[in-house]
Amino acid sequence: PHMKPMFISGGGQKIYECVCDEQVTEENPYVLVPKAKIMEDFRLRAAVCDFHPLKKQITNYPGEEVLVIYDPDYRYGENFYVCITEAGKEEYLPSLCPSKLMRRKK
């Protein structure tokens, strides 16, 4: 219930700074996208916005950053999946890249 698969187009990847195999890789599979950036994209691109299928969940999302995870093998059916709850973000984030998080906390 915390995660939703989502296709992010090449143009969307540039907007959200999650270009596949450049800014996100199998070794570094996630980005934290500012909710404000997504809300601005809703305003500018409306239904064309990659997050449009999750507009209700993103609009109601209480956090400031949305966890977006690269899924290069399409395990969940799309090229990314998105954490749509803060509880889920806190639960999944440490498992994604523990060494990176340890460096971040120092």
Side-chain angles (χ1 to χ4, degrees):
H2 299 295
M3 301 293 202
K4 295 286 183 187
M6 186 177 101
F7 180 78
I8 301 180
S9 67
Q13 291 174 29
K14 290 177 183 170
I15 291 168
Y16 304 122
E17 299 176 26
C18 62
V19 176
C20 295
D21 299 318
E22 291 178 23
Q23 293 165 309
V24 290
T25 62
E26 287 188 52
E27 296 77 31
N28 186 27
Y30 73 92
V31 292
L32 292 167
V33 178
K35 179 181 174 182
K37 184 179 277 194
I38 299 168
M39 298 305 289
E40 178 70 2
D41 199 27
F42 284 146
R43 191 182 70 73
L44 294 174
R45 298 194 306 150
V48 181
C49 171
D50 293 288
F51 279 89
H52 189 265
L54 301 176
K55 185 173 183 177
K56 182 178 179 184
Q57 291 97 326
I58 297 298
T59 301
N60 294 331
Y61 184 78
E64 293 181 19
E65 294 179 313
V66 177
L67 176 61
V68 177
I69 304 150
Y70 180 40
D71 186 5
D73 300 324
Y74 288 72
R75 283 177 295 191
Y76 300 102
E78 298 293 353
N79 60 349
F80 287 88
Y81 51 103
V82 179
C83 189
I84 55 169
T85 66
E86 273 293 292
K89 181 171 87 173
E90 296 304 317
E91 179 182 333
Y92 288 104
L93 197 54
S95 68
L96 292 172
C97 210
S99 61
K100 185 175 179 180
L101 289 171
M102 292 301 290
R103 286 195 302 271
R104 198 167 119 191
K105 289 183 178 183
K106 288 181 181 177

